[in-house]
Amino acid sequence: MTTQGSSNTRQTQRLLVGVWAGLAALAPDALSSIAYGPQEMIIQLEPAGLRAEWYILPLGFVLIFLLGFLVFSYRQIIQSYPNGGGSYVIGQATFGSTIGILAGSSLIIDYIMTVAVSVTAGVDALVSAFPSLQHDMVTADVLIIVAIMVLNLQGVRKTAQVLSPVTYLFIAMILMMATVGLVHPFQPIAPHPKIFPLPSALPSVGVLMLLRSYTSGSSALTGIESVSNAVPIFKAPSAKFAKRTETLLGIFLGSMYVGVILAALREHAMPTAHMTLLQQIAQETFGHGIFFYLLSFVTMAILAIGANTSFTGLPQLASLMSWDQWMPRMFLFRNDQDVYRNGIFVLGGVAAFLVLLFNGNINRLIPMYAIGVYLSFTIAQVSLIKKALTDRRAGKPTVQLRVLPFVAIGSLLTMAVVISSIISKFQGGAWIIVIAIPLMMWGMVSIRRRYRTVDQILSLAQPVHIPPSRPSAVLVPVDTLNQLTVQALHTAQYLAPQVIALHIAPNEAAEQEFAAVWAQSDTHGPLHLQTTSVQNASVMESLMAYIEDWQQQNPGQVLWVILPILTSKNPWEGFLYNQFERSLHQQLVFGHNIMVTTMPFPLQRPSL
Amino acid sequence: MTTQGSSNTRQTQRLLVGVWAGLAALAPDALSSIAYGPQEMIIQLEPAGLRAEWYILPLGFVLIFLLGFLVFSYRQIIQSYPNGGGSYVIGQATFGSTIGILAGSSLIIDYIMTVAVSVTAGVDALVSAFPSLQHDMVTADVLIIVAIMVLNLQGVRKTAQVLSPVTYLFIAMILMMATVGLVHPFQPIAPHPKIFPLPSALPSVGVLMLLRSYTSGSSALTGIESVSNAVPIFKAPSAKFAKRTETLLGIFLGSMYVGVILAALREHAMPTAHMTLLQQIAQETFGHGIFFYLLSFVTMAILAIGANTSFTGLPQLASLMSWDQWMPRMFLFRNDQDVYRNGIFVLGGVAAFLVLLFNGNINRLIPMYAIGVYLSFTIAQVSLIKKALTDRRAGKPTVQLRVLPFVAIGSLLTMAVVISSIISKFQGGAWIIVIAIPLMMWGMVSIRRRYRTVDQILSLAQPVHIPPSRPSAVLVPVDTLNQLTVQALHTAQYLAPQVIALHIAPNEAAEQEFAAVWAQSDTHGPLHLQTTSVQNASVMESLMAYIEDWQQQNPGQVLWVILPILTSKNPWEGFLYNQFERSLHQQLVFGHNIMVTTMPFPLQRPSL
């Protein structure tokens, strides 16, 4: 007999979007990294002197080159995985478990670092405009993470659509700023930099430093995969519109990146401890006016939206991985607000912890960022190639053969970013990721193995042990003699032939006092009272000691416990009652494997 | 029939102490405030110029005068309340509830502020010696609070005795430093300051500023009451030894205070943002050597011990107040480590929150400190006077009449500190306390009123409603068909005539698949399976919807639920299992008042 879900079913409105709305929703993750990508490139070159800043020009073009390949590959991924191309799903489907959990671990790190880096960069932008905030940066970081967490826990979904103007405002401001900055900045125009300068004009910069700068700059391309994860939200034909959106994203990201780099070189903008590169460029282009302040807010906003995508992404990923038993089942289900609560808590908690650990310093977070992202990029692209070849061999070609070399080059380039990140930033923080990913994979393997072992233990293929289900006795903790207790005793009499009413008194005098009260009352029928006093133990210890004694004296017999609980519509009541009963429940069930029946006693609404 | 507690009773060793050991254990709270008292006095005078520092001399003498009266009064309190003279107990006993909860609220604030101020001052001392720590001050504060919390949760009690050398080391170092600093400091000796300088030589200082300085300095006398709280730990005759200890404490505290003030004036020591007064004096007296570094560690140690006394004091106070129903019952009981867990958590949490809120800045915490402490002092002294007069009238004089005028003056002086704190520090932070204390008192009254209302509702004087204790049906959530489920179904059959085995599937295909598996299995006897699929709701919603439907279709009938729970000796198992079941338990019992039987299924130890 099947019963349908009743009146509580919720209709999830499917709002299918077109290209521009889709871009507004999915671009923030990628575009917001303009706020720190170019800046981190420059910072890595600083030790070689101010003029070393020029190197961001060639490095930037290599990154644009990489961007081109990434966009190309992801267009193919969109085409081939119309239900969403997250690297975990496609990695596992194509190569099996090991690559799957490698991709999953990389993605988890990606999501966490996105939150930490985005929020930190956003606060840096605000501090550039409001320097008095600089002492409270870490506090602001943590508060913003908590705020985003809370919004997500409430299941506030429609905010994404409300915020689409922010995306386009940010794009417009950055492009405007870069253009004006190149053509007619506030400051006088410096001499046009030579494209091939004399060797003596440029400081010599070691390969390692160039690699560090390059890998820092590569953090600006994170988020380029967001469109491929969300193909189903587009109107039909969704693949076509999604590909178009991906291309547009690439174009905007690329032009903003180039614009910022050229403007930075033009104005010799150098980020400082309390002034981000973007804010610096804004100041030198438009002065310390409205644009300057507005930019800091818009930057914070778009970074917050970028961070928010992690809060939808990671819990969904954790749920997927739980279905495959790689992660604990606590991540599996959505709750009544249609959110994956535990995933949201873990993400917010770890991100906040990292921010606290590194004192809100984005320079120390960036080294850990690129590895997870680019590993995930690589797995996605290689999976696509394998899938294309497999489909072709099976006679159902889905991807044109000629695009595969490009995807292959793309995956080589992204793997190069991973390797150069590890090499050049190892001491800077990459070692943490190099240790973390295998550790996470080992954890996932252990979890799955445990789940499978337990499934086997519990399987009906094993001989079925049915312990006696009838209890010989039921214990009722008797606090005072009131309606709660009387009801508990009645219920106990239904459950088992023998009822033990146990009262635990603070001392012997109180013990005898209660025994007298009990004897005089007629509400408990012929039941005897057991009492004990606390002496030097805690109440919990005395109770458990009594139970252990009973079990020793009655081997092979089963004891149940009834726990009366006061319930109320008033949420504050939880502080006033039941704390001890909760601990007792925990101890009895988990500590001593005793069957516990929780008996709720609803309190009427008080006339306060 | 009375049953004694069994083998788990714990013998609390009563180690009775003499004067010197008692002083070592009880003095840190008071003596440690030398680390910030004189310093805060000077800081409050800074705006009037460097020479205004001289005023700490007359203000200091007024404080010594106050100290004298306090020691005198507390000797009387020790005499009259040999079981411990906490101002809550004696205030409530003498004047009734209102004064009682006023004292209780003041004490709670006192305890919390002691932790916040002590830890902050201790980290300041360390930063003075190790300036590179200055960026991590707040983190260090929070970590130390957490460390003290954890130590207390473990029930580590004997540490107090281990640490008695710290107390004497601190006393010796301060006195030595003050003496040498006055006689033969590192620096050349400045001209002897005139006791009555020409009016033109001293900057004019407003009364408000003097009051602020005075009330800041009064924070150095906090902790003087600690001996009276702990009279029972002394050897017999405990009152005599306790009084002797109190006097010694006053002598040490007074001489250290005077010494520090004189040395500070002699050496024109000015505390700065990263150098405390004591460290400054140490540096100018002995140079930047071993003494300087050692002092910072000893100061941190004694402040930590001082903070630790709050962690024993507040949970005990909260427990006492819970017995009188002023505070929730969660503070009532000790747990198996013999500690009041909830009290420790709340204290650590609030203190850490304050430190975070005020960015580890001790100057912003001090204004809130004195009010609670001195209000508590006042109530204790006035209670003593009333008790003495009452006992005398009853014909059992306990206190000599002639001491009462001195106690009265003492209570006037402490009340003056309260009032001048409120007036001079109102904007500085005292307003928080002025609001907090009435708020806490209102909270306590509300809590007691609620407990009494519920006691009345539950009392057997009311007609006793016994709802039917037999369930008509028992619902068993069936996840998969395994040993856990089979055992749950057996138990269910014992509990009620009708058993509902409910399976919630992710979609209709899975629903039918499971129905087929069920039909083929023979382990469940003639039981029918109910299934439903999740559709757009969460699993929890579907389950609750099914139950609500059943209740609507079966009015007046009672449904129970069996929740099978996997238990294991492996603590990690908790992450892997039972999360959903815990939420379900919460929803069923507290959300829907449904009787839930939790059935533990112990897993054998895995052969991992």
Side-chain angles (χ1 to χ4, degrees), chain B residues 128-206:
Chain B
S128 304
F130 303 97
S132 55
L133 284 176
Q134 56 182 278
H135 301 296
D136 297 308
M137 271 167 57
V138 177
T139 315
D141 293 333
V142 173
L143 283 179
I144 291 175
I145 292 178
V146 168
I148 299 177
M149 246 175 77
V150 166
L151 279 177
N152 275 282
L153 284 169
Q154 303 297 325
V156 176
R157 288 299 181 77
K158 304 294 174 226
T159 45
Q161 283 136 325
V162 172
L163 294 166
S164 51
V166 177
T167 308
Y168 289 111
L169 184 57
F170 184 69
I171 296 176
M173 288 181 80
I174 296 296
L175 289 176
M176 180 163 75
M177 180 174 89
T179 317
V180 174
L182 280 169
V183 171
H184 186 78
F186 223 42
Q187 311 284 75
I189 298 176
H192 187 84
K194 293 203 180 112
I195 298 179
F196 298 109
L198 295 168
S200 54
L202 280 177
S204 68
V205 173

Side-chain angles (χ1 to χ4, degrees), chain A residues 427-469:
Chain A
Q427 273 181 314
W431 66 271
I432 299 176
I433 306 299
V434 167
I435 291 181
I437 289 187
L439 216 65
M440 289 170 75
M441 291 172 68
W442 174 80
M444 292 168 180
V445 167
S446 307
I447 288 175
R448 185 185 235 195
R449 185 168 54 198
R450 180 60 183 155
Y451 275 130
R452 291 193 161 170
T453 305
V454 173
D455 282 349
Q456 228 184 358
I457 293 174
L458 295 182
S459 130
L460 292 174
Q462 313 271 356
V464 177
H465 304 287
I466 308 290
S469 28

Side-chain angles (χ1 to χ4, degrees), chain A residues 128-140:
Chain A
S128 303
F130 304 97
S132 53
L133 284 177
Q134 55 183 278
H135 302 295
D136 296 309
M137 271 165 59
V138 177
T139 315

